[in-house]
Amino acid sequence: MGSRFKVKTSAIMMAALVLSGCSNNSSSSSEESETDTTLQALISDANLTGDPSTNRDLPDITDLKAQLGMKLFYTKGLGGDEDSACVTCHHPMLGGGDDLSLPVGVNAVDEDLLGLGRVHDGDGAPNVPRNAPTVFNLGLWDQVLFHDSRVESIGKESGVNGASSGIRTPDSAFGTADTNVQTGQTLAAAQARFPVTSNEEMRGNTFEAGNDNDAVRSALAARLQGDADWLTEFQTGFSSTADATTLITYDNIAEALGEYERSMVFTDTPWGDYVSGDSSALTEEQKQGAILFLTSREDGGAGCSGCHSSDFFTDESHHVVAFPLAGNGKGNINDEAGNDDFGRERETGDAADRYKFRTPTLLNISATAPYGHTGSYQTLEDVVRHYTGPRNRVTEYFDDNGGWCQLTQFSTIAGCAALYPDARTNSLLAISKLESDRLAGESEEFAEDLTLSDDQVNQLVAFLEALTDPCVEDRACLDAWIPDTSDAGPDGLQLNARDSDGELL
Ligand code: HEC
Ligand code: HEC
């Protein structure tokens, strides 16, 4: 890790134990140590170390390229109409996301207001079809990015964030490397080529209208080339004296953005402390939740780690779990047609992949609500209960609980109920797909609904809450990843975010 400026709580606790002369057992009941024995065996069977960031070459936020990337991440100068930046939907104080179910990119009423209260001019409803995932720990992904993995490492080598082989992107055919992404570039850099090309996220409807993605990138690079302050920043960031046209290319913009994101390593969790030997880092309830999480269905557990596997809590693979759809969907097959979201099928063209989405990491999950690819569940309890019976939960969601209108973001939108007329029907189609996959024996990890008591639901939620690094809930700890809010950035377009109370984030 090395990039953090805080004292490890586990170290303090260990020191306190030593000072007070406590042995591990003297203060705990025999039931508790039985719990520890069971849990430690599961940890060792799964080969967990508690920290997925070890043995990786990740930048520090003080690195010059990451510093340049931070300035780029916060500038509205990369938005076609200069009203949206990367940080619009991925702010460190909002869990590396935006706190919304569905993002509001361009044409917001107040472009610098982030999180709840950010609305569109017009009807106020969001127009980006999927939830913004966190950019925290982005450098820990080795295989795929996006909910449908449309940015994908060809070789899927472990430990290198995609940098060892080619990368497939939406600019290349499925399974084929994007020739504009040089080998050695990371998944993070490859991904950073795309948000600027999306009309809803950053581009707007008129910038380079009718032109292709590369035209948009070149036009943005040219915009920055015309600014002497950006040239100074790029010369520093790339330790070079080259001129603006050589240095300020979109490839370099994407690389710097990627390095900033990859510096956001937040893996120092109570769970990690427990795995590395501090048995007091978790409560008994959290330990029971961990046991349920890590124990397979056959052995009477909840089987969560069948998909949320490894120290990063994801298999980087795709499954149908059929969370409800909030919104109009990204589209059915490849084109944007239809108002459902076929997920991975949109990329592979294989109907077997319909409604499959990438397994998300669960690190920092307390800070990244709402959940699922359309942010349709507001709480971790809602998510855990989903696994106890998707058909019943989804039916209740729409019939008894108001569908998407129960979500915090939608609670103030007038005419909410009429927004997405097909969301219920489409959500039930996903449930039917899950059920037919189960009958065909093709849903191994989620072959049956779970039976969980209320206590067990609470245990699982308590365990999930132990997967968050306290740094991400602490403004002072995050300070290094947020540019000075009294500054306007190289181009005067730095987005200094405020919340709905007008407070700086
Ligand atoms: C309007 C909101 C919005 C803006 C602005 C935006 N993003 Fe995103 N971002 C999203 C959404 C939504 C997704 C998920 C899309 C999907 O999976 O189909 C996403 C996905 C990502 C991911 C993938 C994370 C993962 O776990 O797979 C990264 C990385 C990312 N964005 C970085 C950026 C960068 C860099 C910029 C600026 C160049 C940016 N975003 C601008 C909304 C936004
Ligand atoms: C069959 C594989 C599979 C199993 C088993 C599974 N999950 Fe998931 N999980 C997923 C997928 C896929 C998603 C993403 C769904 C989406 O985007 O709509 C997800 C999403 C989540 C989320 C929301 C994450 C986010 O950032 O939005 C949480 C929390 C979660 N799962 C917890 C659990 C728990 C707890 C269990 C065990 C009770 C479990 N999962 C079992 C595959 C699985």
Side-chain angles (χ1 to χ4, degrees):
M1 245 182 311
S3 64
R4 300 282 300 282
F5 315 102
K6 68 182 190 110
V7 183
K8 283 188 71 136
T9 44
S10 60
I12 296 173
M13 284 165 139
M14 294 300 249
L17 276 176
V18 172
L19 286 173
S20 66
C22 281
S23 82
N24 264 351
N25 293 333
S26 62
S27 63
S28 52
S29 69
S30 57
E31 197 188 23
E32 228 177 305
S33 55
E34 216 176 281
T35 307
D36 290 328
T37 311
T38 309
L39 183 49
Q40 275 148 19
L42 288 163
I43 288 167
S44 129
D45 285 352
N47 291 318
L48 301 178
T49 67
D51 186 355
S53 72
T54 42
N55 299 324
R56 281 178 176 261
D57 186 14
L58 293 165
D60 194 277
I61 183 56
T62 57
D63 290 0
L64 296 176
K65 216 178 270 177
Q67 285 289 310
L68 170 64
M70 176 161 78
K71 296 195 170 87
L72 291 164
F73 199 84
Y74 281 76
T75 180
K76 291 180 278 188
L78 288 180
D81 298 329
E82 301 185 341
D83 70 343
S84 176
C86 302
V87 76
T88 298
C89 305
H90 300 286
H91 197 285
M93 283 296 288
L94 303 176
D98 61 1
D99 266 9
L100 302 174
S101 291
L102 298 173
V104 174
V106 301
N107 297 327
V109 170
D110 177 348
E111 58 197 40
D112 296 343
L113 192 167
L114 304 194
L116 289 167
R118 182 179 179 85
V119 289
H120 272 293
D121 51 15
D123 65 2
N127 64 355
V128 176
R130 288 184 182 158
N131 179 262
T134 185
V135 290
F136 292 163
N137 297 324
L138 195 67
L140 305 189
W141 293 96
D142 283 331
Q143 305 188 25
V144 292
L145 290 180
F146 283 127
H147 293 293
D148 53 16
S149 300
R150 62 189 184 277
V151 166
E152 182 168 14
S153 163
I154 302 286
K156 300 189 167 54
E157 299 81 1
S158 59
V160 294
N161 194 216
S164 279
S165 56
I167 294 176
R168 186 263 158 163
T169 78
D171 280 349
S172 60
F174 183 72
T176 312
D178 181 338
T179 50
N180 287 320
V181 178
Q182 267 134 39
T183 306
Q185 289 291 340
T186 62
L187 288 168
Q191 192 283 336
R193 302 170 66 78
F194 291 91
V196 296
T197 67
S198 155
N199 289 24
E200 296 78 22
E201 290 183 10
M202 293 180 76
R203 179 177 177 176
N205 289 322
T206 52
F207 185 70
E208 291 293 308
N211 292 336
D212 67 9
N213 288 351
D214 274 329
V216 173
R217 295 177 188 123
S218 303
L220 291 171
R223 181 190 280 172
L224 269 55
Q225 284 163 10
D227 189 318
D229 287 344
W230 274 121
L231 178 58
T232 311
E233 297 290 346
F234 274 76
Q235 287 176 332
T236 307
F238 282 87
S239 308
S240 161
T241 52
D243 64 7
T245 43
T246 313
L247 214 44
I248 309 182
T249 60
Y250 201 86
D251 285 350
N252 281 351
I253 292 172
E255 185 177 330
L257 284 168
E259 288 308 282
Y260 165 65
E261 295 172 309
R262 280 157 39 79
S263 77
M264 293 194 248
V265 183
F266 300 116
T267 58
D268 195 357
T269 67
W271 167 247
D273 291 343
Y274 181 85
V275 176
S276 46
D278 176 5
S279 57
S280 68
L282 298 185
T283 64
E284 175 66 18
E285 188 180 39
Q286 289 171 326
K287 291 176 192 174
Q288 294 296 347
I291 290 172
L292 276 170
F293 189 97
L294 293 171
T295 304
S296 69
R297 298 297 303 272
E298 302 87 78
D299 293 339
C304 311
S305 60
C307 302
H308 298 283
S309 53
S310 86
D311 285 303
F312 196 32
F313 292 95
T314 170
D315 56 4
E316 300 200 43
S317 187
H318 316 92
H319 306 273
V320 186
V321 289
F323 286 9
L325 173 72
N328 275 329
K330 188 168 169 69
N332 295 9
I333 312 295
N334 263 318
D335 53 27
E336 305 290 314
N339 57 4
D340 200 350
D341 190 337
F342 282 4
R344 184 65 174 158
E345 181 186 359
R346 289 169 47 82
E347 302 309 309
T348 64
D350 182 351
D353 291 331
R354 188 164 306 174
Y355 301 124
K356 284 188 182 171
F357 290 92
R358 182 194 66 175
T359 310
T361 173
L362 301 178
L363 291 179
N364 300 310
I365 195 77
S366 314
T368 60
Y371 304 108
H373 67 281
T374 59
S376 56
Y377 282 132
Q378 195 70 49
T379 67
L380 289 172
E381 182 180 341
D382 291 341
V383 173
V384 171
R385 289 199 187 275
H386 176 87
Y387 291 101
T388 66
R391 181 171 285 281
N392 290 340
R393 296 293 85 74
V394 169
T395 309
E396 282 165 14
Y397 183 87
F398 288 103
D399 295 353
D400 304 332
N401 300 337
W404 59 90
C405 295
Q406 72 193 270
L407 299 166
T408 317
Q409 178 180 14
F410 289 92
S411 59
T412 53
I413 294 181
C416 176
L419 283 176
Y420 311 122
D422 296 322
R424 182 183 186 280
T425 309
N426 290 333
S427 300
L428 290 171
L429 287 171
I431 299 285
S432 299
K433 169 72 161 52
L434 171 64
E435 290 169 348
S436 62
D437 281 1
R438 283 173 167 182
L439 283 174
E442 280 160 15
S443 183
E444 232 174 86
E445 293 88 354
F446 192 26
E448 282 171 47
D449 296 351
L450 274 178
T451 305
L452 295 173
S453 66
D454 286 351
D455 279 350
Q456 289 176 313
V457 170
N458 293 338
Q459 288 163 357
L460 280 166
V461 170
F463 166 65
L464 292 171
E465 285 167 350
L467 303 180
T468 297
D469 185 331
C471 182
V472 307
E473 291 172 330
D474 176 350
R475 178 63 177 78
C477 190
L478 290 175
D479 197 52
W481 287 272
I482 302 174
D484 182 354
T485 50
S486 65
D487 197 359
D491 51 13
L493 290 168
Q494 178 171 301
L495 196 159
N496 293 316
R498 283 177 281 100
D499 66 16
S500 57
D501 294 329
E503 302 289 336
L504 282 168
L505 289 181

